[in-house]
């Protein structure tokens, strides 16, 4: 019999409440502590962080979450000819899976190579779009010291679609002849109209400058170019997350120390940058790297890591 969870009184502490924008996604968890959490949330208007921790303590071991932990069994030809069902990386990636693969990819590069780059959590841009979590996101970004890096990867997931924003030379002056600040937006689905993100991207950048106390007026920020290269396009709706990971991989391999629009932009970022076969090899390699270096963790453990990492805000998939 399930223990009854008492509803905690409303709290004025932003860290103690569930981020409501992530509640809908947990309904896909079945017969686990996250599923119990979803049921409680449906019955009560608000759950405190204390309530969530109590549910996890009571049911985390007896009702663990195995969503996405086990690979799918391949079907035989006699069962419908679906013997080539794609593995997890070939499916549309949620934010949890993306973070696991991104960490494996990042660790595959040498420490020296990583010195010029950094990347933001794949949920931060989505959280920034919500007024209630925007201040906290800007605090996390400030801790990344992005103005000391040549390139900053910002995974963007909006409207169930992944794209990649790259902030280039943000620590340099706009009048530099060799290192000019700009933004690159790489989208594997041009029909999604990546330009529609520009207003939010520019507001995002302006707020980053503001919290960093950088002397830069709105007019100069508006003049930072947002460039959209004609990159390879995905073949179906399930591949956008994989394309973003491969964009990051190839960009880290090929990006020059000094990126200048006068030097023949977009350099290597062209429509035939890579072919489907190379992307397929990358996917297979990434799966192998992850299985060797970091086995996929239990979803409940991952959620708890996110809970600690983000100062109490529950970050589940968008």
């Amino acid at each position: 019999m399930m223990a009854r969870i008492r509803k905690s009184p409303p709290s004025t502490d932003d860290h103690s409440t569930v981020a409501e924008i992530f509640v809908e996604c947990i309904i896909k968890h079945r017969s686990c502590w996250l599923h119990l959490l979803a049921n409680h949330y449906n019955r009560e208007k608000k759950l405190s962080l204390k309530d969530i921790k109590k549910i996890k303590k009571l049911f985390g071991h007896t009702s663990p979450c195995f969503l996405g932990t086990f690979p799918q069994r391949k079907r035989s030809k006699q069962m419908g000819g679906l013997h080539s069902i794609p593995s997890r990386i070939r499916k549309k990636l949620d934010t949890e899976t993306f973070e696991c693969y991104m960490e494996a990819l990042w660790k595959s590069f040498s420490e020296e190579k990583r010195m010029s780059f950094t990347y933001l959590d794949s949920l931060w841009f989505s959280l920034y779009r919500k007024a209630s979590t925007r201040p906290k996101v800007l605090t996390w970004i400030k801790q990344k010291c992005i103005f000391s890096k040549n390139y900053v990867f910002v995974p963007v997931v909006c409207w169930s679609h992944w794209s990649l924003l790259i902030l280039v030379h943000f620590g340099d002056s706009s009048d530099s002849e060799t290192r000019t600040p700009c933004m690159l937006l790489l989208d594997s689905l041009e029909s999604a109209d990546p330009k529609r993100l520009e207003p939010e991207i520019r507001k995002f950048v302006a707020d980053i400058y503001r919290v960093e106390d950088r002397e830069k007026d709105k007019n100069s920020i508006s003049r930072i170019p947002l460039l959209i290269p004609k990159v390879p396009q995905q073949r179906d709706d399930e591949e956008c997350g994989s394309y973003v990971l491969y964009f990051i991989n190839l960009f880290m391999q090929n990006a020059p120390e000094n990126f200048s629009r006068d030097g023949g932009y977009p350099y290597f970022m062209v429509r035939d940058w890579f072919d489907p076969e190379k992307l397929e090899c990358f996917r297979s390699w990434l799966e192998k790297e992850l299985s060797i270096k970091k086995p996929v963790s239990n979803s409940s453990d991952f959620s708890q890591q996110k809970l600690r990492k983000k100062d109490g805000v529950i970050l589940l998939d968008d």
Side-chain angles (χ1 to χ4, degrees):
M1 183 175 180
M2 187 177 70
R4 181 172 181 80
I5 306 299
R6 292 183 179 179
K7 183 178 179 181
S8 298
S11 172
T12 57
D13 185 0
D14 288 339
H15 293 175
S16 65
T17 60
V18 180
E20 295 184 2
I21 55 177
F22 297 107
V23 169
E24 292 183 1
C25 69
I26 60 180
I27 63 175
K28 66 183 180 181
H29 295 263
R30 294 291 181 267
S31 302
C32 67
W33 74 272
L34 283 169
H35 185 55
L36 296 173
L37 174 61
N39 288 335
H40 279 289
Y41 190 91
N42 287 334
R43 294 202 304 265
E44 304 184 46
K45 293 183 178 180
K46 182 172 290 188
L47 287 174
S48 70
L49 181 59
K50 183 179 180 180
D51 290 332
I52 296 171
K53 288 183 176 180
K54 188 173 182 180
I55 290 174
K56 179 172 174 58
K57 183 178 180 180
L58 288 173
F59 304 102
H61 294 293
T62 59
S63 300
C65 179
F66 299 106
L67 183 68
T69 302
F70 301 109
Q72 289 185 325
R73 182 179 179 180
K74 296 181 179 180
R75 292 188 179 183
S76 66
K77 293 182 179 180
Q78 289 77 11
M79 296 181 65
L82 298 179
H83 58 286
S84 58
I85 293 177
S87 54
R88 273 169 29 93
I89 190 73
R90 290 164 174 77
K91 297 178 182 178
K92 197 162 190 174
L93 302 184
D94 57 30
T95 52
E96 175 181 331
T97 307
F98 184 95
E99 285 297 318
C100 290
Y101 285 110
M102 182 63 209
E103 184 176 350
L105 173 60
W106 185 254
K107 289 181 178 179
S108 70
F109 288 94
S110 67
E111 184 176 353
E112 181 181 2
K113 185 68 173 178
R114 297 197 301 257
M115 289 294 292
S116 298
F117 301 85
T118 191
Y119 69 94
L120 305 188
D121 188 289
S122 60
L123 276 170
W124 287 3
F125 190 83
S126 295
L127 281 170
Y128 170 82
R129 299 174 71 209
K130 305 291 182 179
S132 60
T133 49
R134 185 174 300 150
K136 179 57 67 176
V137 171
L138 293 171
T139 299
W140 298 331
I141 293 176
K142 188 173 183 179
Q143 296 171 357
K144 299 287 284 187
C145 302
I146 67 174
F147 288 94
S148 65
K149 304 295 183 179
N150 288 342
Y151 304 103
V152 180
F153 298 119
V154 185
V156 175
V157 55
C158 292
W159 311 295
S160 299
H161 175 63
W162 289 91
S163 56
L164 176 65
L165 175 66
I166 306 177
L167 310 180
V168 180
H169 295 322
F170 265 35
D172 293 277
S173 171
S174 59
D175 56 5
S176 171
E177 295 182 358
T178 58
R179 296 165 63 93
T180 53
C182 67
M183 298 177 287
L184 304 172
L185 183 57
L186 280 57
D187 197 322
S188 60
L189 190 64
E190 290 178 359
S191 60
D193 187 17
K195 263 290 189 181
R196 63 178 173 166
L197 284 169
E198 182 170 4
E200 290 185 278
I201 288 175
R202 292 202 177 277
K203 178 175 174 55
F204 178 67
V205 169
D207 280 344
I208 290 176
Y209 274 101
R210 177 178 56 79
V211 298
E212 292 278 359
D213 297 322
R214 291 267 170 168
E215 295 295 331
K216 207 171 187 70
D217 59 40
K218 291 184 178 179
N219 291 332
S220 60
I221 292 175
S222 66
R223 290 195 296 268
I224 298 177
L226 176 62
L227 310 174
I228 304 179
K230 299 290 185 180
V231 294
Q233 298 294 285
Q234 64 193 69
R235 297 161 295 180
D236 60 55
D237 294 338
E238 302 296 305
E239 295 185 308
C240 51
S242 301
Y243 269 74
V244 166
L245 288 167
Y246 200 35
F247 287 152
I248 293 173
N249 177 60
L250 293 183
F251 192 92
M252 288 190 70
Q253 292 179 15
N254 298 289
E257 182 177 351
N258 298 323
F259 187 100
S260 173
R261 287 174 289 124
D262 299 329
Y265 163 83
Y267 301 106
F268 45 87
M269 292 173 290
V270 292
R271 192 173 291 278
D272 61 350
W273 190 6
F274 56 85
D275 55 36
E277 288 72 22
K278 290 182 179 179
L279 177 61
E280 195 70 19
C281 290
F282 169 74
R283 289 165 166 165
S284 299
W285 169 83
L286 195 52
E287 289 180 7
K288 183 178 179 181
E289 284 292 299
L290 189 63
S291 65
I292 294 175
K293 295 183 178 180
K294 183 180 179 180
V296 177
S297 60
N298 182 286
S299 296
S300 61
D301 293 337
F302 185 89
S303 296
Q304 186 65 17
Q305 292 168 6
K306 285 283 187 181
L307 185 65
R308 291 194 298 269
K309 180 180 178 183
K310 299 298 183 293
D311 299 329
V313 178
I314 303 296
L315 298 185
L316 299 176
D317 305 330
D318 189 15

